[in-house]
Amino acid sequence: AGIGFGYQRLTEGTLSRGTWETLLPQTNLLDPRRAVVARTSDATTTATQLQRDYGAAVELGLIAIVGSNLQATAQWRIRAGSDATFATHTYDSGWIDCWPEQWAVGVLPAGHPNASTRTFTNADIARRRWDVLHLPPTPVSARYWRIEFDDTTNTDGYVEVGVLVMAPLYIPGHDDNVGIGAELGRTSTTNVGTALSGARYVDARPIARTVTLTIPALDLDEAVSVLHDMLLDIGLDGLIYVVFDTADVELLQRRSFLATQVELSAVQLVQYGQQTVPIKLIESL
């Protein structure tokens, strides 16, 4: 268990299958801008699917749907293999909930609106804008990947997705790899003003999640040639998918998001043979 990063193969490969709107095409799934969405023609299971061909086998450990309208009862299925027809495959997630249980047993007080199911309502999903996320138990190597959605009762009459993230999952160092003092925070650019009359005016904008942490006790080779290289590749304009705790269950979607670096950081020598790398990320909205 520990923090993990998905940072490659965000835009590679070719897409097929499903039925997608001409003006909001399937190729928009590979656009890193969340607001550039792809939309299916309807909510049938025939329309709400996609297949990705990387041209050669790639190893992936993270699949995320960023900025979707998938509703509370929606399910999805991820398969991978070397057969484009999927008569055979090497990985099958089975049909799983897009929005699984979000609270541990006993956490919610009696009378809480989510107490009986411990799952989100459609209102919760719309308000929080979180991602649908799957981490295979072990990384999967395959050329072809197929994703299917079952959200036939979606009140919008279609499935809409902002960004499709499919990436290797890099877990630095060792289990429990986050230093003491790590912060999961929030920031907002909402403007609040006050008129001469005293009336309060608010220009509401989305709240972005942030992560500030250090990865401690890394050996020099990994700190410089893997983690530091990854952060250099991303820079301040590239995207990275952060999973705060890969062993998480109920808190997984709360603490996982597509992000950019807030600032560039250095590899710090903390004692002989051990390096620390500070990281500060902000959610890409």
Side-chain angles (χ1 to χ4, degrees):
I3 198 165
F5 301 101
Y7 72 101
Q8 296 174 334
R9 307 195 187 283
L10 299 182
T11 59
E12 297 176 14
T14 56
L15 298 174
S16 62
R17 295 188 68 84
T19 309
W20 301 78
E21 293 285 356
T22 302
L23 297 180
L24 298 173
Q26 189 180 50
T27 51
N28 284 359
L29 295 170
L30 304 185
D31 191 302
R33 294 170 294 178
R34 182 180 181 137
V36 180
V37 301
R39 180 183 295 174
T40 63
S41 59
D42 56 58
T44 63
T45 54
T46 302
T48 58
Q49 58 178 277
L50 63 98
Q51 186 159 307
R52 193 167 188 172
D53 176 5
Y54 281 101
V58 297
E59 185 176 274
L60 305 180
L62 181 151
I63 299 95
I65 304 297
V66 178
S68 77
N69 73 331
L70 290 161
Q71 297 194 335
T73 59
Q75 292 190 314
W76 65 328
R77 182 185 186 188
I78 301 109
R79 286 183 284 172
S82 57
D83 176 10
T85 68
F86 279 84
T88 61
H89 48 264
T90 56
Y91 178 74
D92 186 352
S93 68
W95 285 103
I96 53 179
D97 293 335
C98 292
W99 306 102
E101 292 176 348
Q102 300 289 331
W103 289 270
V105 175
V107 169
L108 294 176
H112 190 283
N114 305 87
S116 61
T117 63
R118 294 186 286 119
T119 59
F120 287 147
T121 64
N122 286 333
D124 294 329
I125 294 166
R127 182 172 67 254
R128 289 179 169 86
R129 297 164 46 91
W130 291 340
D131 305 337
V132 174
L133 177 66
H134 178 64
L135 308 179
T138 58
V140 178
S141 179
R143 171 177 173 173
Y144 300 100
W145 294 75
R146 185 177 291 183
I147 299 175
E148 301 164 274
F149 299 100
D150 185 351
D151 195 16
T152 56
T153 60
N154 192 305
T155 54
D156 292 330
Y158 54 79
V159 165
E160 185 174 278
V161 176
V163 184
L164 170 65
V165 178
M166 301 174 68
L169 183 64
Y170 167 50
I171 301 175
H174 51 79
D175 289 350
D176 302 320
N177 57 4
V178 175
I180 298 298
E183 297 180 352
L184 176 69
R186 301 168 304 282
T187 188
S188 175
T189 55
T190 291
N191 291 322
V192 180
T194 305
L196 292 176
S197 65
R200 190 168 178 263
Y201 294 92
V202 178
D203 176 17
R205 300 178 186 180
I207 294 174
R209 289 170 288 181
T210 61
V211 164
T212 303
L213 54 85
T214 59
I215 307 294
L218 290 174
D219 65 50
L220 182 61
D221 286 336
E222 182 177 4
V224 175
S225 66
V226 183
L227 182 53
H228 196 242
D229 275 5
M230 179 190 78
L231 297 174
L232 284 174
D233 290 342
I234 297 162
L236 295 179
D237 58 330
L239 293 170
I240 185 170
Y241 201 94
V242 57
V243 182
F244 194 85
D245 185 347
T246 58
D248 196 293
V249 179
E250 288 87 1
L251 301 181
L252 183 66
Q253 287 167 295
R254 287 178 172 83
R255 301 195 293 174
S256 303
F257 52 88
L258 192 61
T260 58
Q261 286 192 94
V262 175
E263 58 190 25
L264 301 180
S265 58
V267 176
Q268 301 172 351
L269 177 64
V270 291
Q271 65 183 50
Y272 181 76
Q274 291 190 359
Q275 279 66 221
T276 290
V277 181
I279 298 174
K280 188 170 185 179
L281 305 171
I282 186 170
E283 185 175 11
S284 176
L285 298 176

